[in-house]
Amino acid sequence: MAKTSLSRLFASLSEHSIAKPSFTGSRSESVTRSAYNSVTRFVCSSAQETQLIREERSNEGDREAAKENLESVNKEEDEGEDGDHVNKETGEVGGPKGPEPTRYGDWERNGRCSDF
Amino acid sequence: MAASIAYVGGHLQYGVNFCMGQSYKQAIWVPSVTFNGCLQRELSWSCGVSKFLQIRKCNLFRSRTNENWKSFGTVITSAYLRDGSTKYFDFAVIGSGVAGLRYALEVAKYGSVAIITKAEPHESNTNYAQGGVSAVLCPSDSVESHMQDTIVAGAYLCDEESVKVVCTEGPDRIRELIAMGASFDHGDDGNLHLAREGGHSHHRIVHAADMTGREIERALLEAVVNDPNISVFKHHFAIDLLTSQDGSDTVCHGIDALNTETQEVVRFISKVTLLASGGAGHIYPSTTNPLVATGDGMAMAHRAQAVISNMEFVQFHPTALADEGLPIKPKKTRENSFLITEAVRGDGGILYNLSMERFMPLYDGRAELAPRDVVARSIDDQLKKRNEKYVLLDISHKPREKILSHFPNIANECLQHGLDITQQPIPVVPAAHYMCGGVRAGLQGETNVHGLYVAGEVACTGLHGANRLASNSLLEALVFARRAVQPSINYMKSSSLDLSASSLWTRPLVPKSLGSDVMHKILRITKEVRKELQSIMWKYVGIVRSTSRLQEAEQKIGKLEAKWETYLFEHGWQQTMVALEACEMRNLFCCAKLVVSSALARHESRGLHYMTDFPHLEESKRLPTVIFPSSHTTGTWSSRQLHQQPIVKSMV
């Protein structure tokens, strides 16, 4: 798989040393760690944040957490600035198109399962 | 070789009392680990059985007539030195999946590294791991939560120390991968996108689209190729570890390998060896594993006197596409199975046997929506009871457009073989996917063989317990590969390469003298024997087991092995001869027997191991299954190292 575009924030800068944060459970801390190299940000959004972002972004209805969802609906997906696919539901960039791969607990793509 | 099998109590990582014939002794482990003094007392035994132990002597093989051990002084070596060569490295790594590569990159900072891999470097289970790797990377997630999920999935058989270490160190290992150039998906807010797989209480699966393993493998391989201290020997098949006895300790000095392209034997002498050779899916006829996964490492380690653990816990997926049920059979046997996702059942797919009877309601009130393990057992039960090869998964009653848009991969694959899933049911059969057991490893990846470390699927670290949690396998490989680094460096620094060591072991022999006709016959027979072994394993050592079926498996495998070996030796095969197919076959026999022995020893049902005559969990049996090799030198060809083990007199 070719390394893609600059919009991918995690470039191969092996000479950068990575600071080791400790997760204290406070969300605000996670974003403002100055020890991090600005190019390589590893902090994730919490599930709640993701939920908020989803709710703010789309008015498509109530898509529940992956495991509970039994209905999958085809949605139009946005294209990012440089062609990277952006999932409207989750905000994931460059991820798998179509229904959430883990919606039934295993990892599936187009019907084929690769992890469970 | 006879093997004793025992349940060993609790936090047994650091000291092992094992039975060598009548006496027992304690293996010496890497000193930095702690040892529970109480456990030591509880674990010791004489010929009687303590309440913590269940011992089953395994006399799987008829003893051969005694072969004389040649003392090493009389080994004739000159004839063998002519072909093949010897290479000297500080570190030898067997396997080029995530564990092997990750380890190599670290130790390469301290010495020379040889990576020995039997095919192309990217051919590994890692490459096929498309889902993701789990780690606590979210502030609202916690190590405790990941630990709990792991332990619950593992049916409480996990080693808690291992679980803690993996869940704690996982996040750092992911960060390092990213620093090495692995690209994982992120959200458009710039944060890592984390998915949530079954069994996980939080979103914590890091992934690269749907090819995480491949992406990790790519990033690591690129770094390896650019590292001047690392030499990759591809198409080098590892035959046996080179070991010696130093008093009561077994020491590993390297590995013999066969260059399968040039048909030359290469001997690697190394101060430290890491086994990272992956799984053993091909002991079964239907598996998701690539062809290279023939249990080579587990077999070599067992032959080298390493302790093996928990081999009964084989993870199957219930619904792989069954080629036998396709109208147009694939032209050549599919190398690794096509798994059909839970989503098909979740979206309303119904399971039928070949008489078109819907059977799931007989087993569980949730029918097709029952947990995967229940579905797997039900399908297995139907197949064994009815002596059939596959069942049917029918989604054709759903709207055509939905089927095609949700499951285009399945639709395409089936259509290519003459089946329209919008009209007809899909033939499915369970497939072996992952080995939770393997070579017993301490918290630093150390084994009871000095200088031998393990990481990845070949190892049994105690993380998975009786059942692996999704996406934990790549994580385990990363963490333990990293943990083995410092002890390896320490060990390496305190040892020296004896340049004359190479002649201590008889060199394997390429069977040129047999001629192509005989080789052709041997290869053909070996191919049939492999299929037969796989068939026995599936029929008698599948998902639903029983003592009588396992005993039958033992008998049949023993007979099959004897038949195969007799054929080989009758046709001029010699003890030290090697060929890829024959060596793989002996490894498959070895692993199959380890699985059967372990399964027979566990008199309860837990996690992946289900016994109809012991259908319940037994708290008193919440202990790992451990196989200790004995010091007997008799046994089958699959259970002995090709060379001999010299007694160390004055090894440097």
Side-chain angles (χ1 to χ4, degrees), chain A residues 70-74 99 103 108-112, chain B residues 341 343 347 400-410:
Chain A
L70 296 179
E71 288 286 307
S72 41
V73 181
N74 277 332
R103 67 194 186 284
E108 74 85 33
R109 287 281 287 133
N110 298 325
R112 185 167 190 174
Chain B
T341 175
D347 277 5
R400 185 187 156 81
E401 311 76 49
K402 283 241 155 125
I403 298 174
L404 293 179
S405 73
H406 287 180
F407 312 122
N409 228 338
I410 310 179

Side-chain angles (χ1 to χ4, degrees), chain B residues 191-219:
Chain B
N191 298 318
L192 275 173
H193 183 268
L194 302 174
R196 182 176 162 183
E197 241 179 313
H200 289 275
S201 307
H202 280 263
H203 286 250
R204 61 170 78 100
I205 313 297
V206 172
H207 57 281
D210 60 348
M211 45 176 68
T212 305
R214 210 185 310 171
E215 173 56 13
I216 293 175
E217 183 76 11
R218 180 206 62 76

Side-chain angles (χ1 to χ4, degrees), chain A residues 1 14 23 43-46 57 72 91-93 95 102 104-116, chain B residues 130 137-138 175 179 185-188 191 193 196 198 207 210-211 339 341-343 347 406-407 409 468 471:
Chain A
M1 162 173 151
S14 51
F23 287 112
V43 178
C44 73
S45 52
S46 68
R57 180 167 299 161
S72 41
E92 185 180 356
V93 176
T102 57
Y104 287 110
D106 63 0
W107 191 284
E108 74 85 33
R109 287 281 287 133
N110 298 325
R112 185 167 190 174
C113 162
S114 55
D115 189 27
F116 56 96
Chain B
Q130 285 166 29
L137 287 161
C138 201
R175 290 183 199 107
D185 290 352
H186 56 280
D188 53 7
N191 298 318
H193 183 268
R196 182 176 162 183
H207 57 281
D210 60 348
M211 45 176 68
L339 295 184
T341 175
E342 319 253 344
D347 277 5
H406 287 180
F407 312 122
N409 228 338
R468 178 188 67 93
S471 299

Side-chain angles (χ1 to χ4, degrees), chain A residues 17-76:
Chain A
S17 62
I18 308 301
K20 294 179 195 181
S22 53
F23 287 112
T24 60
S26 156
R27 264 191 293 168
S28 57
E29 269 188 29
S30 62
V31 184
T32 57
R33 263 183 263 281
S34 54
Y36 274 114
N37 180 293
S38 60
V39 177
T40 50
R41 277 188 287 154
F42 312 115
V43 178
C44 73
S45 52
S46 68
Q48 291 149 314
E49 271 184 358
T50 314
Q51 189 73 27
L52 271 167
I53 288 167
R54 269 191 243 139
E55 281 166 12
E56 282 162 18
R57 180 167 299 161
S58 84
N59 50 5
E60 278 159 356
D62 49 350
R63 181 152 174 135
E64 294 176 80
K67 211 172 173 181
E68 281 78 45
N69 193 11
L70 296 179
E71 288 286 307
S72 41
V73 181
N74 277 332
K75 292 176 180 56
E76 275 185 6

